[in-house]
Amino acid sequence: MRVNSAMRGQTKINRRTQLAKVLMLAGAAVSFPAMAQEAQTDAAESDPNVIIVTAQKRSENLQNVPISIQALGTQKLEQLGVASFTDYAQQLPSVTFQALGGTPGTNVVYMRGVASGGDGNHSGSLPSVGVYLDEQPVTTIGGNLDVHVYDIARIESLSGPQGTLYGASSEAGTIRIITNKPDTSGFYGSVDGEVNTVHKGGQGYKLEGMINAPLSSNAALRVVGWYQRDAGFIDNVPGTRTFCGTPTFDDEDNINGCIKDGVSVNNAAFVKKDYNYTDIYGGRAALKVDLDENWTVTPQFMYQETKSRGSYGYDPSVGDLQVQHFFPEFRNDKFWQAALTIEGKFGNWDVTYAGAYLDRKTFQSSDYTDYSEAYDSLYESVGGLANYFYYQDSLGNTIDPRQNVIGTDHFKKFSQEFRVASPSTEAFRFVGGLFYQYQSNLIHQDYKINNLGPLVSVNGFPGTLWLTQQKRVDKDYAMFGEFSLDLSPTVTLTAGGRAFIYDNSLIGFFGFGRNPGSDFNDTPFNGAGSFATGVGSCFTSNGERLFTKDENGDWQRTGSGTLLPAVVAGSPCNNLGRVINGEVKPVRAIGSGGTYRFNATWKPNSDVLAYATVSRGFRPGGINRRGDFGAYQPDYLTNYELGFKTTLANGLLRLNGAVYQQDWKNFQFSYLGPNSFTIITNGPNARIRGFDLDAAISLDRLSINLSGAYTDAKIRNNLCAAIDPTFTCSDPDNSLQAPAGTRLPITPQWKMSGTARYTVPMGEGKVYGQVNATYQSSASSDLRVDFAAAQGRLEGFGQVNLAIGGEWSSYSIEAFVRNLTDERGQLSRFVQCGACTQRPYIVPTTPRMFGLRAGAKF
């Protein structure tokens, strides 16, 4: 589908008159940020400028859909060189994200400012933005599924709560990636390649291909494949770290300090230029079979593997695009999905079944030296980290306290949806159905210290200071429906709702080991000297925990007999769960509720649409690992929105926009609680106000898209360090973390993008030049005021991308430069631990890149 080109078949008018009309009408739009959108006029369906979307579970012209939608069509994705999530997220002003370390596939996605920060923990809240691949949800925990973008029909970004039709985790919005489907009309294909070089970095390349092959008059196969190397540009430079070795003593023979002479280490084995490179490869195959004129079956399979090396955040205290890391750093992320879509008719009603099974495995190694550096300094007055705790080898000698974290996750998702839709031509219409989703995650986090003795390690894991071995299960059951009634040819009312039940659970082990000597009473208890955290709180055969506190707060042995066998394989025992009839069962959070959407649409003519919407989205509750904090409850977002979609100047100008207010009630907030455990609680309320606008101008040779969003997101109550239903933070031990009126983090107030493309016919082809620019203002990196100040603010930045090339019927070639001015755009900031603010890291945009791409069609 070709978009943003001059309208075909229009009566030619004087060029100066035409341009004058467009500039007069566009003047107001250009002065505002606007949202680039592929929406076109209400022309005949055969018009190549019309984009058909399925945001409301029906095929509709985007300009007729009363929802704030941004859609990037096939041609726009190709023109912008979009290949990954970060590529298209920069072009969607309502979308922001938090890069958890910056590695591909670890981004937490936000929309319209619905962000509290601290999300993405494997045992934490579900996402607030849903992601779909065609009809199937691919929303994951702990980072988005970064689907490679090639041979994609469009990407739809639906702003605001979409809980009625898309359910849980579509609280703030939904992103839909729609693939091109097999086509029985003929055999054809394409191949595209790219080479590039990055300033202060290495070289990258990409090879992509697609084949569409009819198998018969009613069946076709479409196969897509890709391989991509993203060049590294961050260097791991030589460095040393020195830790407390020899303790010093006072007159009473108590440790009162240390001499940093005992442990000095360097990273010579890991020094490398262009440290952070990534290889991405995979493929997708879809088979479409028309069983008859009414029924179509489309099975699809996709596989993708992403191998990332090094660090994607740099340490500004070391240097520009530089780090000093001391352990291997990598992340392997591979997934496959088998999906089935069945579409047909019962009478004149449309029937759709969409089912899928997703399997994702990640394996990573992370350097955790910053933790040791921070805590060694924190405990320097008592001998440093290794002397204050018990980082000892099997002979009791003090050892190098640095940690290396090995982590794996095995995520599975099974989803099914069955829905029906009445004829779209009727004055009274209905779409509704049933939905079921089961997702699980096997979580493994191993905090390793070289030479840590077996008696102070996690039982059965020599060298492991801390172990997390858990299974998480999230279930979602729902039924939904929306009714639309045309009161007149120009007025339509819509009402919809969704009833849901969620059932989320956790079981397994987390924590330190326990010295098994003398019936678990020998000292040191473990490397951290912790009495009951970990094995010390595991369940025994009498149904009690090994140790608990009495009414005076003193630890006592309550569990008798033997430790109950581990439920989650690879655990030493179970301390996360509940004992029922002698067996350890998961801790569960079960709840139910509903969401709704009410909409009124006024369309006085084919070129103007106005709408008003009230909608509600939700995110399910869940379990805290610490049993004394219990479950956290669902949070809800209510959206009030007024919007319009217009086509002006005889189709030359499209101007769309929306203004909204969102009330986010008792939002789920993650923070480091006692003993640095991540705790999720329901925090204060927030109010988010904003607007988004988009303008698209199409002349014979020139097309312009301007896009942008303004977001004013603030909390309405104080945020306290611990749970406080009154939000007064009045307890001396419950400090004020953020006062009422503090802006929500991550999302900038302003985010904009714009593209201008000029095309000149040349023989049987055409040549073009293109300018694309993006801008976003500054934002806080965290909601907690003091922590955000220590971690650093996300600075505002702009980026300019240029391209020049030519297109012919069978081939194309383009030279491009991205990030022309070599901006260090800050996508995210992070620290390795809650106390590690001595080394905040910046995840930057890719430095200036020069490249050449070419493609052929056959």
Side-chain angles (χ1 to χ4, degrees), residues 10 210 265 507 519 609 794 812 836:
Q10 292 184 350
M210 177 275 294
V265 297
I507 190 170
D519 198 21
L609 178 147
L794 294 167
S812 63
C836 296

Side-chain angles (χ1 to χ4, degrees), residues 96-114:
T96 54
F97 60 93
Q98 188 173 20
L100 303 177
T103 309
T106 63
N107 298 307
V108 179
V109 188
Y110 303 114
M111 294 182 75
R112 280 188 171 177
V114 183

Side-chain angles (χ1 to χ4, degrees), residues 204-496:
Y205 50 85
K206 180 168 57 179
L207 182 65
E208 304 161 310
M210 177 275 294
I211 292 176
N212 183 87
L215 304 178
S216 68
S217 61
N218 62 343
L221 176 68
R222 196 177 190 100
V223 179
V224 184
W226 57 85
Y227 188 99
Q228 179 175 330
R229 162 66 66 92
D230 290 338
F233 51 84
I234 292 177
D235 302 333
N236 194 17
V237 300
T240 60
R241 298 287 185 271
T242 302
F243 302 96
C244 284
T246 304
T248 60
F249 300 87
D250 60 19
D251 295 339
E252 297 179 356
D253 206 30
N254 295 316
I255 296 177
N256 64 357
C258 74
I259 300 173
K260 292 201 173 186
D261 63 349
V263 181
S264 183
V265 297
N266 65 66
N267 65 343
F270 304 103
V271 170
K272 184 178 179 63
K273 184 174 174 59
D274 305 332
Y275 189 49
N276 63 319
Y277 62 94
T278 299
D279 291 311
I280 305 169
Y281 53 89
R284 187 176 69 244
L287 174 67
K288 181 181 179 182
V289 180
D290 295 326
L291 301 178
D292 57 29
E293 62 181 9
N294 290 325
W295 288 90
T296 299
V297 177
T298 309
Q300 181 168 295
F301 183 85
M302 179 178 178
Y303 175 87
Q304 180 173 302
E305 186 161 355
T306 302
K307 294 184 176 181
S308 304
R309 300 293 181 267
S311 171
Y312 284 73
Y314 71 93
D315 182 352
S317 68
V318 175
D320 180 38
L321 301 178
Q322 294 181 341
V323 295
Q324 289 177 346
H325 285 178
F326 296 78
F327 282 103
E329 292 185 287
F330 59 83
R331 186 174 193 269
N332 295 341
D333 181 354
K334 61 181 179 181
F335 70 87
W336 61 267
Q337 185 204 48
L340 174 65
T341 304
I342 302 174
E343 299 169 290
K345 286 183 177 294
F346 283 141
N348 59 357
W349 283 57
D350 294 324
V351 178
T352 303
Y353 167 82
Y357 182 84
L358 171 67
D359 188 291
R360 182 187 194 187
K361 294 179 180 178
T362 62
F363 174 55
Q364 64 184 39
S365 172
S366 305
D367 178 34
Y368 210 46
T369 299
D370 290 1
Y371 172 91
S372 302
E373 178 186 46
Y375 278 88
D376 195 62
S377 296
L378 182 65
Y379 291 110
E380 187 170 342
S381 63
V382 288
L385 184 63
N387 290 302
Y388 181 75
F389 294 107
Y390 302 92
Y391 291 9
Q392 305 169 352
D393 63 18
S394 58
L395 300 177
N397 300 313
T398 299
I399 59 175
D400 176 359
R402 293 175 301 141
Q403 296 182 36
N404 174 212
V405 184
I406 303 298
T408 64
D409 286 272
H410 189 181
F411 178 87
K412 300 177 182 178
K413 179 194 286 282
F414 174 61
S415 64
Q416 294 190 90
E417 179 175 299
F418 175 80
R419 68 175 185 269
V420 296
S422 64
S424 60
T425 55
E426 299 294 330
F428 182 71
R429 301 175 296 279
F430 169 78
V431 59
L434 302 173
F435 177 82
Y436 168 73
Q437 178 175 273
Y438 174 98
Q439 55 188 23
S440 66
N441 195 15
L442 282 174
I443 304 161
H444 170 81
Q445 295 284 316
D446 189 343
Y447 291 71
K448 305 183 74 68
I449 298 179
N450 289 336
N451 301 316
L452 186 67
L455 297 182
V456 291
S457 300
V458 174
N459 304 54
F461 293 82
T464 295
L465 177 70
W466 172 284
L467 178 71
T468 297
Q469 196 81 9
Q470 300 172 353
K471 182 176 182 180
R472 172 178 181 163
V473 174
D474 297 274
K475 300 177 185 178
D476 181 19
Y477 310 82
M479 59 181 180
F480 61 91
E482 279 196 353
F483 298 87
S484 295
L485 174 63
D486 295 333
L487 295 181
S488 71
T490 61
V491 177
T492 300
L493 299 180
T494 298

Side-chain angles (χ1 to χ4, degrees), residues 48-65:
N49 289 308
V50 173
I51 279 192
I52 302 300
V53 298
T54 52
Q56 296 191 118
K57 307 285 189 178
R58 296 176 182 272
S59 295
E60 301 172 282
N61 182 351
L62 190 148
Q63 284 295 90
N64 294 334
V65 181

Side-chain angles (χ1 to χ4, degrees), residues 87-144:
D87 291 338
Y88 65 76
Q90 284 188 306
Q91 304 297 328
L92 300 174
S94 292
V95 177
T96 54
F97 60 93
Q98 188 173 20
L100 303 177
T103 309
T106 63
N107 298 307
V108 179
V109 188
Y110 303 114
M111 294 182 75
R112 280 188 171 177
V114 183
S116 61
D119 301 312
N121 186 281
H122 47 229
S123 301
S125 301
L126 288 166
S128 63
V129 173
V131 181
Y132 275 67
L133 179 61
D134 291 316
E135 293 289 335
Q136 289 79 14
V138 292
T139 315
T140 55
I141 303 168
N144 71 314

